[in-house]
Amino acid sequence: MQKGKLYLIPNTLGSDDLSRVIPPYIKEVINTIEHYIVENIQTAAKFLKLAGINKPLRELTFYVLNAKSKESDITTYLDETEGGKDTGLISEAGLPCIADPGSVIVKMAHQKGIQVVPLSGPSSIMLALMASGVSGQNFAFIGYLPIDKNARVKKIKGLGSKIKQEGQTQIFIEAPHRNDKLLADILSNSPGDIILSISKNLTMETEEIISGTIEQLRNKNIILGKEPVIFVLGK
Amino acid sequence: MQKGKLYLIPNTLGSDDLSRVIPPYIKEVINTIEHYIVENIQTAAKFLKLAGINKPLRELTFYVLNAKSKESDITTYLDETEGGKDTGLISEAGLPCIADPGSVIVKMAHQKGIQVVPLSGPSSIMLALMASGVSGQNFAFIGYLPIDKNARVKKIKGLGSKIKQEGQTQIFIEAPHRNDKLLADILSNSPGDIILSISKNLTMETEEIISGTIEQLRNKNIILGKEPVIFVLGK
């Protein structure tokens, strides 16, 4: 029997307006799938409804894969896929496997000889990098910076040196309630001539992108608030 | 007078089937724009026609921005945008400003106080990372490896150590005619237990994704040929 495929399905970045960010093909794909591995059932269900799924959700099977999942929890998640049924992987927001734990199931799929099909959609990391005005030819996404103040300041100083010496753009995120603290630390501890770009509420009506040298941004009184933000630091 | 906006418009990765990769909103946007800054006029024109532009192309203005452009060539490119006309930036393939020279015009837009609007579309780098089965929580895109054999082997060995020690996934590309040479060098010079994922012809009918440990892939006789490929190395 032929094995099913594992489709990597993009979610929105929080907006309900899918036409801005999701290609029409996704609707075709979700209407052929009954098994889903999802980071969060609620956000996945909302997405599937917005994307135009034509089956009642109660007829679908959802398996949860999130940061708390252990490898032993997920060993059976691809059994139906091995048996011939296509499966969809959906993240809480944006692209599955980017800044989320989805890659473990993709690794397992490759080990089992299941075809993996990545589908296009919104990536907050890429949108922030495109909009930053700094080089996208060599860049790193490093996730979260340390929470501890001293370790964080040390990390920020290290990023500044790395950018000046190696020219590699650095992209990172923060828990929204710590955005303004992180911003203050970046402005105080980075070389004045490198560029900081801050992308807030990407793809939403309230999208805002601020870019300038550290020196320029020190003079503006920027308040980010508790919104989703991507930080891009480069030259 | 209000300034125009700079829209960052995604192109396909080479396929003519836009419905797989481009959100419907792009069609709305391109039908409000008459000025374009493009990496390649031919591929941009082809894209605009496929995306459903309803104006004859001869009524549009195209400015070329590619690897050969000097800063002095592009100083006037945003004059119309400052004067109130929206402008679109289109890369030869995929997302503008990612692995292409587009960021200089975005930087200039920020300096002139022009709003930058990044739009979602296919990113071969993200699709390859999603499909790789290695961690997408901390990764770097490093462009091309050195062409010189000794420097290249040294770089590959360095990437292997970096992955083992720091766990940062490394993504890179190669000119298609050198794919198989690079693959041979990776397989010969990387630790056997790290994972190599090769994504070929992403979003095309001929898409193929190969993932496994270096040890596993050494035993397969993989021939990539002269196709667009993204290499992902990680654990």
Side-chain angles (χ1 to χ4, degrees):
Chain A
M1 188 198 273
Q2 213 184 344
K3 290 174 184 168
K5 296 176 185 173
L6 178 63
Y7 286 98
L8 312 183
I9 299 173
N11 201 334
T12 73
L13 301 177
S15 164
D16 289 353
D17 183 2
L18 265 62
S19 72
R20 270 186 96 109
V21 290
I22 302 290
Y25 180 61
I26 305 290
K27 186 177 174 182
E28 286 178 46
V29 170
I30 61 171
N31 280 316
T32 66
I33 298 180
E34 285 162 17
H35 291 85
Y36 289 93
I37 299 167
V38 304
E39 193 175 3
N40 179 309
I41 292 182
Q42 208 181 349
T43 50
K46 185 180 170 195
F47 168 77
L48 289 171
K49 276 192 255 174
L50 285 170
I53 197 160
N54 55 24
K55 266 199 191 67
L57 295 181
R58 65 174 182 279
E59 293 180 15
L60 308 175
T61 311
F62 291 99
Y63 299 98
V64 174
L65 170 66
N66 60 30
K68 288 177 195 155
S69 304
K70 293 177 211 129
E71 218 161 315
S72 56
D73 297 336
I74 62 170
T75 47
T76 59
Y77 282 13
L78 291 175
D79 286 357
E80 281 93 349
T81 329
E82 280 200 286
K85 308 251 186 204
D86 290 342
T87 295
L89 177 64
I90 305 178
S91 174
E92 199 163 353
L95 303 178
C97 308
I98 310 297
D100 81 27
S103 67
V104 292
I105 209 81
V106 175
K107 189 178 185 175
M108 194 189 290
H110 286 300
Q111 285 164 350
K112 290 176 185 286
I114 290 166
Q115 189 187 340
V116 175
V117 185
L119 300 178
S120 283
S123 161
S124 57
I125 298 169
M126 287 297 112
L127 291 167
L129 179 58
M130 290 158 71
S132 67
V134 303
S135 168
Q137 313 231 27
N138 186 344
F139 61 88
F141 171 72
I142 57 173
Y144 296 86
L145 303 197
I147 295 176
D148 173 72
K149 172 92 178 171
N150 290 336
R152 179 150 72 168
V153 166
K154 196 179 158 195
K155 181 78 184 175
I156 291 168
K157 287 182 177 168
L159 293 179
S161 311
K162 203 177 168 107
I163 289 162
K164 298 276 274 188
Q165 282 158 27
E166 299 168 30
Q168 185 178 61
T169 298
Q170 303 292 318
I171 308 170
F172 45 95
I173 49 179
E174 186 47 284
H177 69 277
R178 282 195 290 263
N179 280 338
D180 284 299
K181 234 183 222 174
L182 175 58
L183 175 60
D185 284 344
I186 297 169
L187 293 178
S188 303
N189 297 287
S190 301
D193 58 344
I194 65 172
I195 291 173
L196 172 64
S197 179
I198 303 162
S199 284
K200 188 170 152 179
N201 294 329
L202 281 164
T203 76
M204 317 281 274
E205 284 295 321
T206 51
E207 175 176 290
E208 193 183 353
I209 293 154
I210 302 164
S211 274
T213 64
I214 291 290
E215 209 163 61
Q216 285 166 345
L217 299 190
R218 271 180 200 146
N219 298 321
K220 295 186 179 177
N221 188 21
I222 303 168
I223 294 165
L224 298 176
K226 297 176 186 177
E227 311 286 344
V229 163
I230 309 266
F231 296 89
V232 179
L233 207 53
K235 69 177 186 184
Chain B
M1 188 197 276
Q2 211 182 347
K3 289 175 185 167
K5 296 176 186 173
L6 178 63
Y7 286 98
L8 312 182
I9 300 173
N11 201 332
T12 72
L13 301 177
S15 164
D16 290 353
D17 183 2
L18 264 63
S19 72
R20 269 186 95 109
V21 290
I22 302 290
Y25 181 61
I26 305 290
K27 185 178 174 180
E28 286 179 46
V29 170
I30 61 170
N31 280 318
T32 67
I33 297 181
E34 285 162 17
H35 291 84
Y36 288 94
I37 299 167
V38 302
E39 193 176 3
N40 178 309
I41 293 182
Q42 207 182 349
T43 50
K46 186 182 170 194
F47 169 76
L48 290 171
K49 275 192 256 175
L50 284 170
I53 196 160
N54 55 25
K55 266 198 191 69
L57 295 182
R58 65 174 182 279
E59 292 179 15
L60 308 176
T61 311
F62 291 99
Y63 299 98
V64 174
L65 170 66
N66 59 30
K68 288 177 194 154
S69 304
K70 292 177 211 127
E71 217 162 314
S72 56
D73 297 335
I74 63 169
T75 48
T76 58
Y77 282 12
L78 292 175
D79 287 357
E80 281 93 350
T81 329
E82 281 200 285
K85 307 252 188 205
D86 290 342
T87 296
L89 177 64
I90 306 177
S91 174
E92 200 164 351
L95 303 178
C97 308
I98 311 296
D100 80 29
S103 68
V104 293
I105 208 83
V106 175
K107 188 178 185 176
M108 194 189 289
H110 285 301
Q111 285 164 350
K112 290 175 185 285
I114 290 165
Q115 189 186 338
V116 174
V117 184
L119 302 178
S120 283
S123 162
S124 56
I125 298 170
M126 287 298 111
L127 291 167
L129 179 58
M130 290 158 71
S132 67
V134 304
S135 168
Q137 313 229 27
N138 186 344
F139 60 87
F141 171 72
I142 56 172
Y144 295 86
L145 303 197
I147 295 176
D148 172 72
K149 171 91 177 170
N150 289 337
R152 179 149 72 168
V153 166
K154 196 179 158 193
K155 181 79 183 175
I156 291 168
K157 286 182 177 168
L159 294 179
S161 309
K162 203 178 170 107
I163 289 162
K164 297 277 275 187
Q165 283 158 27
E166 299 168 31
Q168 185 178 60
T169 298
Q170 303 293 317
I171 308 170
F172 44 95
I173 49 180
E174 185 48 284
H177 68 278
R178 281 195 289 264
N179 280 339
D180 284 297
K181 235 183 221 173
L182 174 58
L183 174 60
D185 284 346
I186 297 169
L187 293 178
S188 303
N189 296 287
S190 302
D193 59 342
I194 65 172
I195 290 173
L196 171 64
S197 179
I198 303 162
S199 284
K200 187 171 153 180
N201 294 329
L202 281 164
T203 76
M204 318 282 274
E205 284 295 320
T206 51
E207 175 176 291
E208 193 183 353
I209 293 153
I210 302 164
S211 274
T213 63
I214 292 288
E215 208 163 61
Q216 285 165 345
L217 299 190
R218 272 181 200 144
N219 298 321
K220 294 186 180 178
N221 189 22
I222 303 169
I223 294 164
L224 298 176
K226 297 176 187 178
E227 311 285 344
V229 163
I230 309 267
F231 296 89
V232 180
L233 206 54
K235 68 176 187 185

